[in-house]
Amino acid sequence: MNKKEYIELAEENLLHVYNRFPVIFDYGKGVHLYDELDQEYLDFASGIGVMAFGYGNEDYEEVLTTQIKRITHTSNLYYHIPMIEAAEKLTKASGMDKVFFTNSGAEAIEGALKTAKKYAYTKNGPGEYEIIAMENSFHGRTVGSLSVTGTEHYREPFYPLMSGVKFATFNDFGSVLANLSDKTCAIIMETVQGEGGLYPADKTFLKKVRQLCDDEGILLILDEIQCGMGRTGSMFAFQQYGVLPDILTTAKALGNGVPVGAFCVTDKVASASLVPGDHGTTYGGNPLCTAAVSQVFNMFEDYKLLDHVNEVSKYLEEILDIFVAKYDFVTERRGMGLMQGLVLTVPVKDVVLKALTEENLVVLSAGKDVLRLLPPLVITEKDVDEFKEKLEKVFDSFI
Ligand SMILES: Cc1ncc(COP(=O)(O)O)c(C=O)c1O
């Protein structure tokens, strides 16, 4: 079958909920992807922030291959060593105390919301508890995670969603206070908004929200599904803010390509929230996925990956700042570490399509007008140079 026939077959059989780009990726090596005709693409999207170690990493593949041969699934009714080891590594890396593994980011959010509600129920008894979420946020597509996602057009067709959610303006503490009530049980936000357009939380804002939560007995949920796992130069972005959440969600790069997420809680929360019977999952944290998680943490140490991210991201920022200076239609650079965005006044969708189809460069969009870059964390300065050359050609065509 040729490419056209494959795409026709796909559209014949798959529910059309994505306007997919006209490309078929077949395999990858390092920071490059290859299509069915072996054409090479430079990947500055990493499967939307998942493939931290790029493609075809032998250290990673060896662990997964060995695990497949031992056992891939048992169920959460029993203990298994990969989950035990992965949980220990995740608590150590995050500073949280307890972990529940999920299959996706949205499921981690679901677990976080249930935990917050159960905590309030345990402390105060039954009540119509409320959650403050942020405008312009993205937390996932399930009913619970959609309920706290601050983009009206994602939510609107699915009303009524979970009740008791109020939306505050991100980085506006007054707006958080205006939405506070004696029913508020949690405040949820991304430490760095991803889909919304690469907006980091202001330091003072996050610290004030943390203090408010402490003062009022409210739980702070930080969603680091996109910005966590080394993306911003620390293992979790909140570690650069001097705060600790009560509940943390992670996914994406946590498994480097296997479907795994987690919500993590402090002992204070664990001791007064979910108990046996309250929550569960068949696949969540199975031996294959948690062997991957464990190896991801090993490789972060072995490769000194955080140091690398901090070095190479400086170089990427320099290049991006050159673009801001050079092209009138590039108005701003935003982001942290290897989570970067360029604000454009030309249609970002056209830039993304042109980059892919004419320069074999894989990039993403975010919000209405942001070109989003989430390269594998292992990119080198040489890869950044290749990126510069390709993006320059794309941008030149928009002058
Ligand atoms: C910050 C954030 N939260 C939650 C999600 C949902 O994760 P998933 O697509 O794995 O359900 C995403 C996905 O992009 C995200 O970026």
Side-chain angles (χ1 to χ4, degrees):
M1 258 195 283
N2 64 27
K3 175 173 162 180
K4 186 168 168 285
E5 289 164 337
Y6 269 122
I7 290 178
E8 276 167 12
L9 190 61
E11 293 304 331
E12 214 175 289
N13 292 289
L14 290 168
L15 187 67
H16 190 82
V17 292
Y18 281 97
N19 290 318
R20 289 187 162 87
F21 290 102
V23 61
I24 298 175
F25 285 131
D26 199 24
Y27 60 96
K29 193 81 208 146
V31 300
H32 291 96
L33 285 161
Y34 297 84
D35 67 15
E36 83 294 354
L37 298 176
D38 295 331
Q39 293 190 87
E40 187 178 274
Y41 296 74
L42 177 66
D43 180 24
F44 262 51
S46 62
I48 321 187
V50 170
M51 304 303 291
F53 294 90
Y55 304 90
N57 181 296
E58 284 175 11
D59 296 333
Y60 175 78
E61 287 177 356
E62 198 182 309
V63 168
L64 262 71
T65 310
T66 306
Q67 190 59 48
I68 285 171
K69 289 182 179 158
R70 285 184 88 82
I71 190 166
T72 55
H73 183 78
T74 57
S75 102
N76 278 309
L77 297 176
Y78 316 103
Y79 294 101
H80 59 81
I81 293 165
M83 182 188 270
I84 296 166
E85 291 182 346
E88 190 203 12
K89 287 172 185 165
L90 179 50
T91 54
K92 226 181 224 164
S94 63
M96 306 298 285
D97 297 313
K98 298 278 192 285
V99 170
F100 182 98
F101 287 108
T102 65
N103 307 288
S104 67
E107 282 174 79
I109 298 292
E110 295 289 334
L113 298 175
K114 280 180 71 178
T115 302
K117 287 193 168 206
K118 183 70 194 297
Y119 181 82
Y121 175 94
T122 308
K123 290 272 171 194
N124 311 317
E128 301 270 307
Y129 293 108
E130 294 174 357
I131 291 172
I132 300 176
M134 297 297 142
E135 281 160 10
N136 200 46
S137 62
F138 184 83
H139 297 291
R141 303 290 195 158
T142 57
V143 172
S145 60
L146 198 54
S147 303
V148 290
T149 287
T151 308
E152 177 62 15
H153 80 264
Y154 287 152
R155 286 199 315 271
E156 200 262 340
F158 305 103
Y159 284 144
L161 292 169
M162 189 177 82
S163 60
V165 180
K166 293 180 168 177
F167 287 95
T169 308
F170 189 52
N171 281 335
D172 179 346
F173 186 64
S175 168
V176 173
L177 286 180
N179 282 286
L180 193 70
S181 84
D182 54 7
K183 292 184 187 309
T184 309
C185 71
I187 299 176
I188 182 168
M189 71 177 86
E190 296 155 85
T191 316
V192 183
Q193 288 192 337
E195 304 288 325
L198 287 293
Y199 290 98
D202 289 343
K203 252 191 187 140
T204 47
F205 172 73
L206 188 49
K207 280 186 182 255
K208 280 185 181 173
V209 171
R210 174 68 274 178
Q211 189 61 51
L212 176 72
C213 289
D214 291 341
D215 295 346
E216 302 290 330
I218 296 168
L219 299 183
L220 174 62
I221 305 172
L222 289 182
D223 178 352
E224 297 226 0
I225 286 164
Q226 189 165 149
C227 66
M229 292 305 293
R231 177 63 52 193
T232 65
S234 48
M235 191 53 90
F236 291 96
F238 71 76
Q239 291 163 336
Q240 296 178 50
Y241 286 79
V243 300
L244 187 73
D246 301 294
I247 305 176
L248 168 72
T249 58
T250 172
K252 290 191 185 277
L254 178 66
N256 194 58
V258 296
V260 63
F263 63 93
C264 312
V265 303
T266 58
D267 275 335
K268 175 187 93 172
V269 177
S271 64
S273 57
L274 303 177
V275 295
D278 280 340
H279 201 58
T281 166
T282 298
Y283 284 130
N286 81 14
L288 179 65
C289 291
T290 44
V293 171
S294 232
Q295 180 62 356
V296 162
F297 282 113
N298 291 344
M299 287 161 60
F300 260 93
E301 283 198 9
D302 295 347
Y303 295 19
K304 298 191 172 32
L305 196 60
L306 293 179
D307 292 342
H308 174 75
V309 169
N310 284 310
E311 265 173 44
V312 77
S313 62
K314 272 193 221 116
Y315 188 61
L316 177 63
E317 283 180 1
E318 276 170 30
I319 300 294
L320 296 177
D321 287 340
I322 292 173
F323 284 139
V324 176
K326 181 172 170 191
Y327 297 98
D328 286 348
F329 58 82
V330 184
T331 57
E332 189 188 344
R333 174 182 67 77
R334 271 203 304 261
M336 282 167 73
L338 289 178
M339 184 174 184
Q340 293 286 340
L342 289 178
V343 183
L344 307 183
T345 56
V346 293
V348 65
K349 297 272 184 262
D350 295 352
V351 172
V352 172
L353 182 65
K354 209 162 204 176
L356 182 71
T357 55
E358 293 182 17
E359 294 305 327
N360 289 16
L361 171 66
V362 188
V363 288
L364 299 161
S365 62
K368 291 186 302 289
D369 57 1
V370 180
L371 183 72
R372 179 171 39 154
L373 309 167
L374 300 174
L377 303 185
V378 292
I379 54 157
T380 60
E381 292 196 0
K382 190 167 153 275
D383 301 321
V384 176
D385 289 339
E386 187 185 341
F387 160 80
K388 176 178 183 266
E389 208 175 291
K390 285 176 181 290
L391 192 61
E392 225 158 26
K393 285 191 192 143
V394 178
F395 278 172
D396 283 346
S397 73
F398 281 84
I399 292 174

